[in-house]
Amino acid sequence: MKSWIAFWSILKKDIKNYYLKPPNISWGIIFPLSWTLMQMIRSSGGVNLSEIREMLPGLMAMSILFGTTSMLAVTITFERKGRSFDRLLIAPISLGTMVVAKLSGAILFGIFNAFVPVIFASFFVDLAGIKWGAVLLTVFLIAITSTLLGLMIAVSAKEVFEAQTFSNFFRFPMLFLCGLFLPISELPIFLRPLSYLLPLTYGTDMLSGSIIGRSMLSPILCVLVLLVFTLALFTLCQYNIRRKWFL
Amino acid sequence: MNTTDIVTVTNLSKEYGDFTAVKGISFSILRGEIFGFLGPNGAGKTTTINMMIGLARPTSGTILIDGFDAVKKVKKAQSIMGIVPDESNLYDEMDGFDNLCFCGSLYGMRKDEREKRAKELLEEFDLIKAGKRPFKAYSKGMRRKLTIAAGIIHEPEILFLDEPTTGIDVESARQIRQLLLNLKQRGTTIFITTHYIEDAQRICDRIAIIVGGNIVANGTVPELMESVSHGHSIQLAADKDLEPLAEELQAHFDGCIVKTGTDHTVTLISKEQIALSPVLQYLDSRGISVYEAKELRPSLEDVFVKVTGIEAIELKKEKDKGGMLK
Ligand SMILES: Nc1ncnc2c1ncn2[C@@H]1O[C@H](COP(=O)(O)OP(=O)(O)OP(=O)(O)O)[C@@H](O)[C@H]1O
Ligand SMILES: [Mg+2]
């Protein structure tokens, strides 16, 4: 009960202090949004509008990736720098509960961001036939793994800009390696193994399956792989946290 | 462990790489007392506090808090602690009231409970008007007060404060000392670090002096003073230079050590009590008038200088970075 009060309070504080603040919303929304618009303008200029639906899985994956990773740099690195984070470390709640509370905000933010391109697309194309249940599950799993990736970076970074720069180092290559806008089969052969080492590849594949009915891997396999990634990343983060956050 | 001890620290050490910040210190804190850690910059005060509150891991040694191992059962120990760090580290964007409520919630306080306590604390700390302002708009003294309020919102059994009066003005420092004394009245045990000798002397029941990671003295204020006292000592101020009479005086009062000063003073030190009238009569017979006679008692400052070898003036220089001038 007591842990739950603390958990909920940390989550609520982060949402109020960070996630609903305009500059932070912009990171997760403006960038994917302008990308969406850019693609739409491009595609409506000559090409079939139905291409928007083709792009949707990639756009959603990108929104989640950018939304979650940039927020953790703020909610964790920024608070650590200002030392208010110490309060959370010395609170009588388990480290796991506290970390999950911090992650939950970013995960919710990621899920929310995922649907920004969907809402936009719905004005232009018919979205019938999409398996929404599967989409939601996938969005959730992508949000968790991306958030944990962000956490890995936030644990090591001392400054916010360091965390941001460091995460760009990961997320821009991921845009190309994970099949968001370019099928993995079109990647140079030596890069492909790298694709399969990244959780986003599996998430994007699942999204493609449930939105445009085209996927390379079985969805069950993808869910399993994503769960394994979640567990592995969480364990790794906990280990790093214990090493780095306590003097 | 003594049942009246709330904290027992044994052979506690902390190494950072090949540098040892805390070197096997041991001490205990009695339930309900104010225990002070007095030491210069870099002595290892913050490092010790961080180990006790679970922010830093000891390299070796044990910390018992309320009877259980505070390193292994860190969350259990933390549930009875209140912590006021050396930096005022609340949330800049949030107002005073929300900051307090948030801190209460971390200790599992229910909404109505924490809101009630937050209001009470804002009142007690004279921060009612500031309660609706964001923390970043607070002055240094206000920040420190709110940080202390945040540390006690859940009514901890033991409160840790790292240099609570550094860097704030005389009046705020006085208010904080009074608040700590009030808390003690209500039964809270307090561990406080400081590099102000006066602070330690005014509010602490017992003091440990820490230098270079070692505790060099530990005891109640009278006990510490006893350790530097040489028995009785009186100082007389006269109207003339007494240096020329030094040998004569020493010969006459051979039960005492006699020291004459260049400032027309003479100090007599003895194991026994010193009767004043023979001294006055003797000086009078030499045509010397005495204006003032006082008993010299050792101060905590003397204790500090003796055990640390650091001149009080050096410590003053340090504290002026803070600015609590008396
Ligand atoms: N994280 C760290 N890594 C390396 N050395 C450290 C670390 N933290 C503290 N030290 C060193 O340990 C020693 C004790 O530091 P500590 O902060 O405990 O001193 P302090 O008594 O609190 O001093 P102050 O009055 O300045 O706050 C110092 O020499 C400091 O440089
Ligand atoms: Mg310190």
Side-chain angles (χ1 to χ4, degrees):
Chain A
M1 181 61 202
K2 288 198 166 180
S3 292
W4 178 242
I5 291 178
F7 176 92
W8 183 234
S9 182
I10 293 171
L11 178 58
K12 238 176 24 192
K13 174 190 74 69
D14 279 0
I15 291 177
K16 208 166 129 190
N17 279 10
Y18 304 119
Y19 294 104
L20 296 179
K21 288 274 158 73
N24 296 323
I25 290 182
S26 74
W27 247 109
I29 296 181
I30 304 268
F31 181 57
L33 202 64
S34 41
W35 186 292
T36 313
L37 286 174
M38 186 182 87
Q39 298 291 342
M40 281 175 180
I41 291 164
R42 229 191 54 187
S43 56
S44 57
V47 202
N48 195 333
L49 261 181
S50 72
E51 254 190 36
I52 288 177
R53 185 153 165 179
E54 302 263 318
M55 280 182 324
L56 205 50
L59 285 170
M60 290 172 75
M62 180 174 75
S63 298
I64 306 171
L65 181 67
F66 277 76
T68 53
T69 47
S70 36
M71 286 315 291
L72 278 186
V74 180
T75 61
I76 291 183
T77 314
F78 177 73
E79 286 193 1
R80 287 226 313 135
K81 178 117 177 79
R83 298 219 10 225
S84 55
F85 202 77
D86 285 356
R87 294 194 172 274
L88 307 181
L89 292 176
I90 56 176
I93 46 167
S94 74
L95 192 63
T97 308
M98 187 274 278
V99 171
V100 173
K102 293 300 271 183
L103 297 181
S104 298
I107 293 171
L108 288 175
F109 188 65
I111 295 173
F112 172 77
N113 277 356
F115 289 97
V116 174
V118 176
I119 291 165
F120 264 78
S122 71
F123 292 118
F124 299 94
V125 288
D126 179 16
L127 295 178
I130 293 180
K131 294 179 201 133
W132 290 110
V135 169
L136 197 64
L137 172 73
T138 313
V139 164
F140 182 61
L141 288 171
I142 298 177
I144 292 181
T145 45
S146 306
T147 301
L148 285 168
L149 207 66
L151 179 62
M152 289 262 289
I153 293 160
V155 171
S156 310
K158 288 214 161 58
E159 308 276 348
V160 175
F161 78 87
E162 209 182 319
Q164 295 281 21
T165 315
F166 210 44
S167 54
N168 282 340
F169 188 75
F170 283 93
R171 54 196 183 184
F172 280 106
M174 280 166 79
L175 290 185
F176 301 99
L177 289 172
C178 298
L180 270 66
F181 304 105
L182 188 72
I184 290 173
S185 56
E186 285 175 27
L187 286 177
I189 193 115
F190 66 96
L191 283 178
R192 282 185 223 166
L194 212 55
S195 300
Y196 291 101
L197 288 176
L198 296 164
L200 196 59
T201 301
Y202 302 89
T204 311
D205 192 58
M206 274 175 80
L207 279 182
S208 298
S210 38
I211 294 174
I212 50 179
R214 199 165 55 220
S215 62
M216 310 176 292
L217 306 159
S218 119
I220 308 263
L221 175 74
C222 288
V223 171
L224 284 177
V225 170
L226 286 172
L227 287 177
V228 169
F229 265 115
T230 302
L231 222 72
L233 283 170
F234 191 71
T235 314
L236 195 64
C237 285
Q238 283 244 12
Y239 172 78
N240 271 343
I241 285 169
R242 282 182 208 282
R243 241 173 18 127
K244 301 220 162 153
W245 287 356
F246 297 92
L247 300 168
Chain B
M1 190 195 78
N2 189 319
T3 49
T4 58
D5 285 349
I6 186 166
V7 175
T8 312
V9 169
T10 316
N11 293 326
L12 187 66
S13 296
K14 178 68 186 179
E15 290 167 12
Y16 290 112
D18 54 10
F19 175 76
T20 309
V22 174
K23 302 172 181 161
I25 60 173
S26 300
F27 61 93
S28 51
I29 303 177
L30 299 175
R31 210 172 276 278
E33 75 175 347
I34 301 186
F35 186 91
F37 238 39
L38 176 64
N41 289 137
K45 302 183 295 293
T46 301
T47 305
T48 306
I49 269 209
N50 283 347
M51 288 192 279
M52 295 171 85
I53 64 176
L55 261 190
R57 259 186 280 272
T59 306
S60 64
T62 57
I63 302 165
L64 290 184
I65 289 182
D66 209 20
F68 46 85
D69 189 323
V71 179
K72 294 202 182 95
K73 295 195 175 164
V74 58
K75 293 297 157 189
K76 190 168 176 195
Q78 284 168 342
S79 68
I80 64 161
M81 292 179 184
I83 294 150
V84 182
D86 54 354
E87 254 175 70
S88 304
N89 64 346
L90 287 160
Y91 299 91
D92 273 341
E93 308 296 324
M94 279 155 67
D95 67 27
F97 182 75
D98 285 351
N99 261 304
L100 292 183
C101 289
F102 177 71
C103 291
S105 73
L106 291 180
Y107 291 81
M109 292 174 79
R110 281 180 296 111
K111 191 174 158 75
D112 51 344
E113 205 184 349
R114 58 189 192 239
E115 288 187 347
K116 181 164 163 274
R117 269 289 281 168
K119 276 197 200 99
E120 282 168 15
L121 285 168
L122 287 175
E123 199 161 328
E124 180 175 356
F125 283 64
D126 209 6
L127 290 170
I128 291 274
K129 274 192 224 122
K132 291 216 162 49
R133 261 184 276 159
F135 187 62
K136 65 178 171 216
Y138 280 32
S139 75
K140 249 188 185 169
M142 286 157 70
R143 289 169 79 88
R144 190 57 58 87
K145 281 198 278 185
L146 196 74
T147 309
I148 296 178
I152 60 174
I153 186 156
H154 57 295
E155 303 189 302
E157 282 177 49
I158 176 163
L159 179 63
F160 292 86
L161 301 110
D162 198 359
E163 309 214 14
T165 55
T166 299
I168 56 177
D169 69 24
V170 186
E171 175 55 19
S172 302
R174 196 192 58 77
Q175 281 180 7
I176 287 173
R177 282 195 300 270
Q178 193 52 50
L179 283 163
L180 296 183
L181 289 171
N182 293 347
L183 275 177
K184 181 192 156 179
Q185 285 288 311
R186 290 181 233 153
T188 311
T189 307
I190 297 173
F191 178 93
I192 173 176
T193 75
T194 180
H195 53 223
Y196 298 130
I197 292 173
E198 298 90 338
D199 259 6
Q201 188 158 9
R202 279 186 204 178
I203 63 168
C204 294
D205 298 302
R206 283 192 310 136
I207 295 169
I209 298 178
I210 179 168
V211 184
N214 287 305
I215 291 184
V216 292
N218 182 355
T220 61
V221 175
E223 276 166 12
L224 290 174
M225 298 214 189
E226 190 66 35
S227 72
V228 288
S229 145
H230 307 287
H232 301 271
S233 141
I234 53 172
Q235 188 176 60
L236 307 174
D239 63 342
K240 292 192 184 67
D241 187 7
L242 298 171
E243 297 264 15
L245 292 175
E247 278 182 34
E248 191 185 318
L249 280 163
Q250 181 64 72
H252 195 80
F253 298 99
D254 56 358
C256 303
I257 300 166
V258 180
K259 288 182 187 162
T260 49
T262 50
D263 50 349
H264 299 193
T265 62
V266 59
T267 307
L268 291 94
I269 302 162
S270 164
K271 288 257 175 283
E272 314 293 321
Q273 293 233 317
I274 302 165
L276 211 48
S277 57
V279 187
L280 294 176
Q281 274 167 16
Y282 182 82
L283 289 174
D284 200 40
S285 72
R286 290 286 180 277
I288 295 165
S289 306
V290 173
Y291 294 120
E292 191 189 331
K294 64 179 176 202
E295 180 169 12
L296 292 185
R297 289 173 191 277
S299 65
L300 194 56
E301 197 158 310
D302 297 326
V303 178
F304 189 84
V305 172
K306 181 172 172 229
V307 297
T308 64
I310 301 171
E311 280 301 329
I313 187 90
E314 290 301 317
L315 203 65
K316 278 226 168 59
K317 274 187 208 150
E318 275 181 16
K319 76 192 200 184
D320 289 346
K321 78 175 184 180
M324 193 183 75
L325 297 170
K326 294 278 156 51

